[in-house]
Amino acid sequence: MPRAAVIGVGHHVPERIVTNDDLAQLMDTTDAWIRERSGIAERRWVRPGQSGTELALAASRLALDDAGLPPAAIDLIVYATINPDHAFPGNGPFLQHALGIDTVGALDIRNQCTGFVYGIAAADGFIRAGTARTVLVVGSEIHSTGLDVSTRGRDVAVLFGDGAGAAVLSAETGERGVLASVLHSQGEFARELWCEVPTALVQGRLNDDLLAQARQYPHMNGRAVFQHAIRRFCEAIEEVLAAAGVAKDDVALFIPHQANQRITEMVTRRLGVDSSRVYSNIERYGNTTAASIPIALSEAARAGRIHRGDLVVLVAFGSGFTWGANLIRW
Ligand code: COA
């Protein structure tokens, strides 16, 4: 049976760098508070009018170049984002058109910070089933236009950034490819990290009362998210390794979703792995939800941190709650 091998990766982030000091001009916060609590020094924000599809297109072209394939080789797009350019359709069809390719399938998925992990699992499933041979998996996010950048929203606003990453997956029967994936959700905690409106439960989807209460912005119970994240990151890693019968020590690189440097450090300690085997770039980008893992994966590959034959674990936790992991032989 074929499985999905990652044959190309790419990422693209907006040019505009927003530092913690820049945020301190907009709200009551400090560089020290943000660095100490999250490890973030700066993040990228799009220019007015720049779309998530545009970021995704740039990342996808780089991933295709890396794979040595033309866009026409893609026979399925899997696009993860919680920030689509429009209420509907999702960004998948926009990306298909922007790539100028045939009328291939475009699967839009959400799954928040776990979006890329779900996307890789879905792509691998399509390839194993024989439904697709070459799948473009994208994670792209624009948070900056949807954040409450006043003191009221500072607990969330300082954490998130914009960007995109992509991977090309191809059917292969050799050693390499996705060895195992695990996916989870726990909706009882959906409201611990969510954005309530626009909502189909309200006529007109939003109204002045909801806007006045700031319910169009993401809200988060930071402490609850923190605690669950550490537990679930560790569990997902153990579970995906067990599913493939692989030992922790055999993994060359762990690429966790970049939620918070303190979370990454606690997970690293709890797993008992050396921090040199855990990738981190949150200092430069903040949390880019579905884009964070593909950006990190692309950076790590370009920096020579991953070699052919290496075992790589992608692991994520986020709103839903959702969490999961993929184990990939490079
Ligand atoms: N700047 C300055 N002060 C801030 C602030 C900011 N940006 N955001 C919140 N505060 C204040 C709060 O108002 C609160 O003040 P109070 O005690 O006077 O009420 C205080 O800081 C909270 O501090 P503390 O309890 O020490 O916060 P924390 O250690 O729980 O850190 C988070 C807050 C959000 C950084 C932390 O809970 C966290 O990282 N959670 C997980 C977030 C995450 O990873 N989300 C994405 C998951 S995919």
Side-chain angles (χ1 to χ4, degrees):
M1 186 194 277
R3 55 179 169 230
V6 179
I7 60 164
V9 285
H11 69 281
H12 179 78
V13 293
E15 280 161 26
R16 182 178 171 200
I17 296 173
V18 177
T19 65
N20 294 341
D21 286 334
D22 292 335
L23 292 183
Q25 307 290 314
L26 303 170
M27 62 187 82
D28 182 11
T29 192
T30 61
D31 177 54
W33 193 98
I34 301 169
R35 278 181 197 263
E36 189 187 307
R37 300 301 204 292
S38 69
I40 299 166
E42 59 189 41
R43 72 287 293 142
R44 304 297 180 104
W45 282 7
V46 287
R47 61 173 189 274
Q50 193 172 16
S51 71
T53 305
E54 201 178 317
L55 300 180
L57 177 63
S60 300
R61 285 192 170 138
L62 291 169
L64 284 159
D65 282 352
D66 192 35
L69 291 177
I74 297 163
D75 54 21
L76 177 68
I77 294 169
V78 177
Y79 195 132
T81 186
I82 51 168
N83 295 291
D85 293 337
H86 302 284
F88 72 82
N91 283 8
F94 286 108
L95 181 61
Q96 174 272 332
H97 180 61
L99 282 166
I101 57 178
D102 199 8
T103 58
V104 299
L107 176 67
D108 286 296
I109 62 174
R110 297 171 65 113
N111 299 96
Q112 305 72 247
C113 300
T114 321
F116 192 76
V117 166
Y118 268 77
I120 292 285
D124 185 43
F126 280 108
I127 285 174
R128 283 176 192 255
T131 313
R133 287 198 59 79
T134 309
V135 185
L136 175 68
V137 185
V138 182
S140 113
E141 303 285 8
I142 294 178
H143 285 289
S144 56
T145 55
L147 296 170
D148 180 357
V149 290
S150 70
T151 298
R152 183 180 62 181
R154 65 184 178 174
D155 61 324
V156 172
V158 300
L159 300 177
F160 292 92
D162 305 341
V168 178
L169 276 65
S170 170
E172 286 199 13
T173 48
E175 292 284 295
R176 65 177 182 160
V178 178
L179 303 186
S181 294
V182 295
L183 303 174
H184 292 281
S185 70
Q186 193 173 20
E188 86 186 85
F189 298 119
R191 292 171 184 78
E192 302 290 12
L193 174 51
W194 74 328
C195 188
E196 189 185 355
V197 298
T199 169
L201 278 63
V202 169
Q203 192 59 35
R205 305 288 161 99
L206 46 80
N207 58 39
D208 290 345
D209 276 355
L210 292 167
L211 291 173
Q213 293 166 43
R215 283 156 76 176
Q216 73 277 27
Y217 294 120
H219 289 274
M220 175 177 71
N221 176 349
R223 295 229 166 141
V225 171
F226 196 91
Q227 284 162 6
H228 283 268
I230 291 165
R231 175 177 162 206
R232 299 308 194 181
F233 268 113
C234 294
E235 283 178 4
I237 291 170
E238 304 280 2
E239 192 185 349
V240 82
L241 293 177
V246 164
K248 231 179 303 185
D249 288 347
D250 295 334
V251 175
L253 193 64
F254 294 88
I255 302 188
H257 160 57
Q258 307 289 303
N260 183 317
Q261 187 58 22
R262 285 196 307 167
I263 293 176
T264 299
E265 283 166 10
M266 288 185 81
V267 170
T268 304
R269 265 204 300 280
R270 207 173 274 191
L271 286 170
V273 301
D274 193 84
S275 59
S276 62
R277 286 164 60 211
V278 182
Y279 195 81
S280 171
N281 63 11
I282 192 164
E283 188 181 6
R284 287 175 287 127
Y285 303 128
N287 179 346
T288 58
T289 50
S292 97
I293 288 179
I295 292 173
L297 187 63
S298 168
E299 279 193 348
R302 276 171 171 64
R305 299 269 308 263
I306 313 172
H307 303 100
R308 187 75 186 260
D310 279 353
L311 288 169
V312 179
V313 169
L314 313 182
V315 59
F317 173 89
S319 162
F321 291 147
T322 56
W323 65 99
N326 316 109
L327 173 66
I328 301 171
R329 188 176 292 283
W330 205 252

